[in-house]
Amino acid sequence: MHQYLSLCQRIIDHGVWIKNERTGKKCLTVINADLTYDVGGNEFPIITTRKSYWKAAIAELLGYIRGYDNAADFRKLGTKSWDANTNLNEAWLKNPARKGEDDLGRVYGVQGRGWKKPDGSSLDQLTKIVDDLSRGLDDRGEILTFYNPGEFELGCLRPCMHTHTFSLTGDTLHLTSYQRSCDVPLGLNFNQIQVFTLLALIAQITGHKAGAAYHKIVNAHIYEDQLELMRDIQLTRKPFEPPQLTINPDIKSLKDLETWVTLDDFSVAGYQHHDPIAYPFSV
């Protein structure tokens, strides 16, 4: 929580105004931010200076793991996070690759579970990683990436959190996650929760202890219509201690995550928070 607040204050104190062409808005921006989460110690990195909807973040992560390409499937899991980008993004609505209402195209989990090879076949990156780690193997290339420049035009949004690298040291699994762009008031807490939970899940299903998750952000920004809420409300509040995440111990395989796991298999204990803040979302 303190890392998050420090980044917000850094953006306000040292950020540079940059015009964002996609949204038409200005963003107060800093380059390069590094956050670390103690997954082994179960210090769940959820925002406490406003209410955060952690279930939606985990639901979105499950959709990525399953390779979903439709906002309706994400809604069934418990999140509406893709509704706007699929159905309100003017550029995507005009794109001939769009299959219809709720279609995301080839983004995020679609790339992670079905990267197209030159011969037309698909590569399942996540299965390879889980198989290797389950055998205690780290080939220094246990990398899950959603960033496929050759297919940007086939999806509604370039991935922001685009690459996850797993590293095994003895019986402890670590994660380094890379993010090219981050809406700090709105998106970062989703991203923090997902990085933490991804390491916790993969460690659990591959039989390892979870270590640290390293979260690297290139472009961290606050939109012009979010600044006052962040500066005058959220940053004036005193944070609470981090809660703890509990994951159903019966989740033991990638197949479990692909089939029967729901939000009922996750719980957060001891989450104290201030009132919600309705930050504007930019499509």
Side-chain angles (χ1 to χ4, degrees):
M1 183 69 228
H2 292 285
Q3 295 179 90
Y4 174 88
L5 295 175
S6 294
L7 175 57
C8 294
Q9 192 64 58
R10 177 187 160 204
I11 295 172
I12 290 172
D13 291 342
H14 303 291
V16 176
W17 285 110
I18 303 294
K19 176 70 175 293
N20 179 256
E21 294 301 324
R22 179 176 63 87
T23 63
K25 298 179 183 179
K26 291 190 303 179
C27 300
L28 200 56
T29 304
V30 299
I31 302 301
N32 191 49
D34 290 280
L35 301 95
T36 302
Y37 315 127
D38 182 4
V39 183
N42 201 4
E43 295 184 6
F44 193 49
I46 191 170
I47 297 302
T48 62
T49 48
R50 66 169 173 84
K51 185 176 182 180
S52 178
Y53 300 92
W54 63 269
K55 289 186 177 181
I58 292 180
E60 186 177 58
L61 175 63
L62 288 175
Y64 294 162
I65 289 172
R66 294 177 180 180
Y68 285 167
D69 66 356
N70 193 282
D73 291 326
F74 281 93
R75 288 196 297 272
K76 290 175 185 176
L77 280 175
T79 180
K80 297 180 180 180
S81 56
W82 280 97
D83 286 8
N85 280 314
T86 54
N87 297 318
L88 299 178
N89 182 335
E90 288 298 328
W92 180 237
L93 294 176
K94 298 174 183 176
N95 191 318
R98 185 173 183 264
K99 299 175 184 176
E101 185 176 1
D102 288 331
D103 179 44
L104 279 67
R106 292 191 53 77
V107 299
Y108 283 90
V110 178
Q111 299 290 351
R113 303 307 307 271
W115 185 285
K116 292 296 185 184
K117 299 169 67 174
D119 63 4
S121 62
S122 294
L123 172 67
D124 187 337
Q125 300 176 62
L126 186 56
T127 292
K128 179 265 184 189
I129 292 167
V130 170
D131 287 348
D132 281 357
L133 295 177
S134 297
R135 294 185 289 122
L137 174 65
D138 174 3
D139 66 4
R140 302 180 185 175
E142 306 302 343
I143 299 172
L144 175 67
T145 185
F146 306 140
Y147 205 76
N148 186 348
E151 294 194 340
F152 282 164
E153 73 280 5
L154 301 181
C156 65
L157 182 71
R158 287 181 299 165
C160 297
M161 176 94 71
H162 59 80
T163 300
H164 303 277
T165 300
F166 295 91
S167 302
L168 191 59
T169 56
D171 63 350
T172 302
L173 187 64
H174 307 278
L175 174 63
T176 306
S177 296
Y178 305 87
Q179 187 165 359
R180 66 171 180 86
S181 174
C182 184
D183 176 340
V184 172
L186 271 181
L188 181 51
N189 196 216
F190 253 53
N191 303 137
Q192 291 178 300
I193 289 169
Q194 289 169 348
V195 170
F196 184 100
T197 306
L198 179 60
L199 176 55
L201 283 171
I202 300 302
Q204 179 167 312
I205 68 174
T206 59
H208 298 292
K209 294 188 298 185
Y214 304 98
H215 185 177
K216 306 181 75 66
I217 302 169
V218 177
N219 184 304
H221 51 265
I222 298 174
Y223 279 96
E224 56 186 324
D225 53 6
Q226 299 171 330
L227 180 60
E228 184 176 348
L229 292 170
M230 174 59 72
R231 182 190 59 219
D232 298 343
I233 298 179
Q234 188 163 356
L235 282 176
T236 66
R237 296 173 173 179
K238 184 178 179 180
F240 295 102
E241 290 298 309
Q244 292 193 322
L245 174 69
T246 298
I247 299 174
N248 184 347
D250 291 335
I251 301 174
K252 297 178 179 178
S253 69
L254 182 55
K255 185 176 181 180
D256 291 341
L257 292 171
E258 293 168 336
T259 53
W260 57 265
V261 173
T262 70
L263 290 180
D264 292 336
D265 296 295
F266 303 86
S267 62
V268 173
Y271 180 34
Q272 295 178 275
H273 57 80
H274 292 267
D275 291 339
I277 298 176
Y279 282 109
F281 174 68
S282 299
V283 179

